[in-house]
Amino acid sequence: MKIGITCYPTYGGSGAVATELGIALAERGHEVHFITYKQPFRLPQFLPNVYFHEVDVGRYPLFEYPPYDLALAVRMHEVVRAHNLDILHCHYAIPHATSAWIAKEMLQREHGRDIRVITTLHGTDITIVGQDPSFHAITKFSIERSDALTAVSQYLRDETQRAFGCAGCGIEVIHNFIDPETYDRARYGPALRPQFGDGRRILMHVSNFRPVKRVGDVVGIYARVAREIPSVLVMVGDGPDRVVAESEARRLGVERDVHFLGKIDAVAPLLAEADLFLLPTQSESFGLSALEALASGAPVVGSRAGGLVEVVTEGVTGVLCAVGDVDGMAAGALGILSDRERWQHMSDAAARDARARFSRDEIVERYEQFYRAHLA
Ligand code: GMT
């Protein structure tokens, strides 16, 4: 098949999933065309069967807000025609599915050509941004006009049907996935540990530091753990709430032991050294970073929010508490870290469960079958 993929190319779960799906499809012999405004962050320079088409928005003094959605639609239209694509797979509903609908209309009306538009719903396109009155109608329209839809969790499918009233949308749940060879604790040597001292436990958080991630709570949980267990907190990523986390660390007097590493594309070697992964998020449709941590043998402590409960098996691979229950999460973290045997059990179970339920090959195959079913 010839597949066009559009995603947000910057740091974030939906871009990571879209890119890794594209790479896996190319390895399986499909021709994959990424159509985005920037090279996706997890896409290496060259891979057989993989092409990258940059969307150029151009500049014109009249445009205070350059119309990216239209430039994307035009690029999609162009790439479909030039490369004879079968499918446009949009990750995140707006504006990607909207642009794909415009491209589809143009192709149909001008060239009598049909292109199948598949949209994968990832998270805040449904739970936050899409429900904002400025975007609700266009999100609903773009969902309903897609030829087929997937959601990354059961929770997100139900939430889409509830919030947009499209009970008949026929959304298929296809969970996110990991490459078990990449997220493997045994594969990497120590990089962080020598820097912090062998006896200290490493707690880790990876995200784009948006308010929804509650990075202040991450620091709060860590500060409570640090009172009892020698440890450090490693914060990977960057974003608007980094200052919140930094000031919380100062307020709680733990700033010397909270290390902000900034944006790092390849997180697997870091996760392989984590003793615990923290995700006390406000809302999470899936939690790809949590899955990557579990696959790397790091139990997860986080909130019982959205689709995270489909990823973390409570009491077996991690501990989940109500959103904002920093004391409960700290107690959960201490319960795991203070008992070596329990930690080892959970770490093994986490790596095993992630492989059993979310391995790349099985899930990529489901996407392939999904494409085939909707080509006809
Ligand atoms: O929807 C977002 O907030 C952005 C998106 C991203 O690009 O990081 O994250 C969502 O998609 C990920 C990949 O499917 C999921 O693992 C995240 O849970 C989800 N984020 C939220 O629901 C907050």
Side-chain angles (χ1 to χ4, degrees), residues 12-15 17 92 122-125 127 152 176 208 210 212-213 283-288:
S14 60
V17 170
Y92 209 90
H122 279 274
T124 52
D125 47 352
T127 55
V152 298
N176 291 331
N208 39 24
R210 282 172 303 157
V212 73
K213 300 292 174 181
S283 153
E284 202 67 53
S285 69
F286 181 86
L288 181 65

Short mmCIF file of all heavy atoms in Angstrom, two decimals, residues 12-15 17 92 122-125 127 152 176 208 210 212-213 283-288, ligand 1:
data_model
loop_
_atom_site.label_atom_id
_atom_site.label_comp_id
_atom_site.label_asym_id
_atom_site.label_seq_id
_atom_site.Cartn_x
_atom_site.Cartn_y
_atom_site.Cartn_z
N GLY A 12 6.19 14.54 21.47
CA GLY A 12 4.84 14.20 21.93
C GLY A 12 4.46 12.80 21.47
O GLY A 12 4.98 12.29 20.47
N GLY A 13 3.54 12.19 22.22
CA GLY A 13 3.17 10.80 21.98
C GLY A 13 2.57 10.52 20.62
O GLY A 13 2.88 9.51 19.99
N SER A 14 1.68 11.42 20.15
CA SER A 14 1.02 11.11 18.87
C SER A 14 2.01 11.12 17.72
O SER A 14 1.93 10.27 16.83
CB SER A 14 -0.14 12.09 18.63
OG SER A 14 0.33 13.41 18.58
N GLY A 15 2.97 12.05 17.77
CA GLY A 15 4.01 12.09 16.73
C GLY A 15 4.91 10.86 16.81
O GLY A 15 5.31 10.29 15.78
N VAL A 17 4.07 7.84 17.99
CA VAL A 17 3.32 6.67 17.52
C VAL A 17 3.23 6.69 15.99
O VAL A 17 3.48 5.67 15.32
CB VAL A 17 1.90 6.65 18.13
CG1 VAL A 17 1.03 5.60 17.47
CG2 VAL A 17 1.98 6.41 19.63
N TYR A 92 -4.26 12.73 15.22
CA TYR A 92 -4.79 13.92 15.89
C TYR A 92 -5.79 14.57 14.92
O TYR A 92 -5.45 14.91 13.79
CB TYR A 92 -3.67 14.91 16.26
CG TYR A 92 -3.94 15.77 17.48
CD1 TYR A 92 -3.57 15.34 18.74
CD2 TYR A 92 -4.54 17.01 17.34
CE1 TYR A 92 -3.79 16.15 19.86
CE2 TYR A 92 -4.77 17.81 18.45
CZ TYR A 92 -4.40 17.39 19.71
OH TYR A 92 -4.61 18.19 20.81
N HIS A 122 -6.00 10.74 19.42
CA HIS A 122 -4.93 10.49 20.40
C HIS A 122 -5.23 10.99 21.80
O HIS A 122 -4.77 10.41 22.76
CB HIS A 122 -3.62 11.11 19.91
CG HIS A 122 -2.92 10.26 18.91
ND1 HIS A 122 -2.07 9.24 19.26
CD2 HIS A 122 -2.98 10.24 17.57
CE1 HIS A 122 -1.62 8.64 18.18
NE2 HIS A 122 -2.16 9.23 17.13
N GLY A 123 -5.88 12.13 21.93
CA GLY A 123 -6.03 12.60 23.32
C GLY A 123 -6.70 13.94 23.40
O GLY A 123 -7.92 14.05 23.28
N THR A 124 -5.89 14.97 23.57
CA THR A 124 -6.50 16.28 23.81
C THR A 124 -7.24 16.82 22.59
O THR A 124 -7.99 17.78 22.72
CB THR A 124 -5.45 17.30 24.30
OG1 THR A 124 -4.35 17.28 23.39
CG2 THR A 124 -4.95 16.95 25.68
N ASP A 125 -7.04 16.19 21.42
CA ASP A 125 -7.88 16.58 20.27
C ASP A 125 -9.35 16.30 20.61
O ASP A 125 -10.25 16.95 20.11
CB ASP A 125 -7.47 15.88 18.96
CG ASP A 125 -7.23 14.37 19.09
OD1 ASP A 125 -7.23 13.85 20.22
OD2 ASP A 125 -7.04 13.72 18.05
N THR A 127 -10.33 15.34 24.24
CA THR A 127 -10.67 15.61 25.64
C THR A 127 -10.56 17.08 26.03
O THR A 127 -11.23 17.51 26.96
CB THR A 127 -9.76 14.78 26.58
OG1 THR A 127 -8.39 15.08 26.25
CG2 THR A 127 -9.99 13.30 26.42
N VAL A 152 -6.85 5.42 20.57
CA VAL A 152 -5.74 4.70 21.21
C VAL A 152 -6.14 4.01 22.51
O VAL A 152 -5.32 3.32 23.12
CB VAL A 152 -4.50 5.61 21.44
CG1 VAL A 152 -3.95 6.11 20.10
CG2 VAL A 152 -4.83 6.79 22.36
N ASN A 176 -1.66 1.92 21.56
CA ASN A 176 -0.29 2.26 21.17
C ASN A 176 0.62 1.07 21.44
O ASN A 176 0.24 0.12 22.12
CB ASN A 176 0.17 3.48 21.96
CG ASN A 176 -0.57 4.73 21.50
OD1 ASN A 176 -0.98 4.82 20.35
ND2 ASN A 176 -0.76 5.67 22.40
N ASN A 208 5.82 16.52 27.84
CA ASN A 208 6.01 17.85 27.24
C ASN A 208 5.61 18.96 28.22
O ASN A 208 5.40 20.10 27.81
CB ASN A 208 5.29 17.98 25.89
CG ASN A 208 3.94 17.29 25.92
OD1 ASN A 208 3.34 17.12 26.99
ND2 ASN A 208 3.45 16.90 24.77
N ARG A 210 3.17 20.09 29.79
CA ARG A 210 1.99 20.94 29.68
C ARG A 210 1.21 20.85 30.99
O ARG A 210 1.38 19.88 31.74
CB ARG A 210 1.11 20.49 28.51
CG ARG A 210 1.68 20.95 27.17
CD ARG A 210 0.91 20.33 26.03
NE ARG A 210 0.94 18.89 26.12
CZ ARG A 210 0.05 18.08 25.57
NH1 ARG A 210 -0.95 18.59 24.90
NH2 ARG A 210 0.16 16.78 25.68
N VAL A 212 -1.59 19.83 31.80
CA VAL A 212 -2.31 18.56 31.99
C VAL A 212 -1.43 17.48 32.66
O VAL A 212 -1.93 16.57 33.30
CB VAL A 212 -2.89 18.09 30.62
CG1 VAL A 212 -1.79 17.57 29.70
CG2 VAL A 212 -3.98 17.07 30.77
N LYS A 213 -0.12 17.62 32.56
CA LYS A 213 0.79 16.60 33.12
C LYS A 213 1.02 16.76 34.62
O LYS A 213 1.61 15.89 35.25
CB LYS A 213 2.14 16.62 32.39
CG LYS A 213 2.05 16.33 30.90
CD LYS A 213 1.64 14.90 30.63
CE LYS A 213 1.41 14.69 29.14
NZ LYS A 213 0.99 13.33 28.80
N SER A 283 -5.29 14.17 32.92
CA SER A 283 -6.10 13.45 31.93
C SER A 283 -5.13 12.77 30.97
O SER A 283 -4.13 13.38 30.58
CB SER A 283 -6.97 14.48 31.20
OG SER A 283 -7.29 14.04 29.91
N GLU A 284 -5.39 11.52 30.67
CA GLU A 284 -4.45 10.79 29.80
C GLU A 284 -5.23 9.78 28.99
O GLU A 284 -5.86 8.89 29.55
CB GLU A 284 -3.42 10.08 30.69
CG GLU A 284 -2.14 9.74 30.02
CD GLU A 284 -1.33 10.97 29.64
OE1 GLU A 284 -1.08 11.83 30.51
OE2 GLU A 284 -0.97 11.08 28.47
N SER A 285 -5.21 9.93 27.69
CA SER A 285 -6.01 9.00 26.90
C SER A 285 -5.35 7.63 26.85
O SER A 285 -6.03 6.61 26.74
CB SER A 285 -6.20 9.53 25.49
OG SER A 285 -4.98 9.50 24.83
N PHE A 286 -4.03 7.60 26.95
CA PHE A 286 -3.33 6.31 26.93
C PHE A 286 -2.12 6.37 27.87
O PHE A 286 -2.08 5.67 28.87
CB PHE A 286 -2.89 5.97 25.49
CG PHE A 286 -2.19 4.65 25.38
CD1 PHE A 286 -2.92 3.48 25.21
CD2 PHE A 286 -0.80 4.56 25.47
CE1 PHE A 286 -2.27 2.24 25.13
CE2 PHE A 286 -0.15 3.34 25.39
CZ PHE A 286 -0.89 2.18 25.22
N GLY A 287 -1.15 7.21 27.54
CA GLY A 287 0.07 7.31 28.35
C GLY A 287 1.20 6.50 27.74
O GLY A 287 1.69 5.55 28.34
N LEU A 288 1.60 6.92 26.53
CA LEU A 288 2.67 6.18 25.84
C LEU A 288 3.96 6.16 26.66
O LEU A 288 4.66 5.15 26.71
CB LEU A 288 2.94 6.82 24.46
CG LEU A 288 4.02 6.14 23.63
CD1 LEU A 288 3.62 4.73 23.24
CD2 LEU A 288 4.37 6.96 22.39
O1 GMT B 1 -3.33 14.81 22.90
C1 GMT B 1 -2.30 15.30 23.35
O2 GMT B 1 -2.23 15.90 24.40
C2 GMT B 1 -1.07 15.16 22.58
C3 GMT B 1 -0.66 13.79 22.39
C4 GMT B 1 0.78 13.86 22.03
O3 GMT B 1 1.07 14.11 20.87
O4 GMT B 1 1.58 13.76 22.95
O5 GMT B 1 -0.80 12.93 23.53
C5 GMT B 1 -1.84 12.01 23.51
O6 GMT B 1 -1.48 10.98 22.62
C6 GMT B 1 -0.54 10.02 23.11
C7 GMT B 1 -0.26 9.02 22.00
O7 GMT B 1 -1.40 8.34 21.63
C8 GMT B 1 -1.08 9.36 24.36
O8 GMT B 1 -0.18 8.40 24.84
C9 GMT B 1 -1.32 10.45 25.42
O9 GMT B 1 -1.94 9.83 26.53
C10 GMT B 1 -2.22 11.54 24.89
N1 GMT B 1 -2.21 12.67 25.83
C11 GMT B 1 -3.25 12.97 26.59
O10 GMT B 1 -4.31 12.36 26.56
C12 GMT B 1 -3.06 14.12 27.52
#
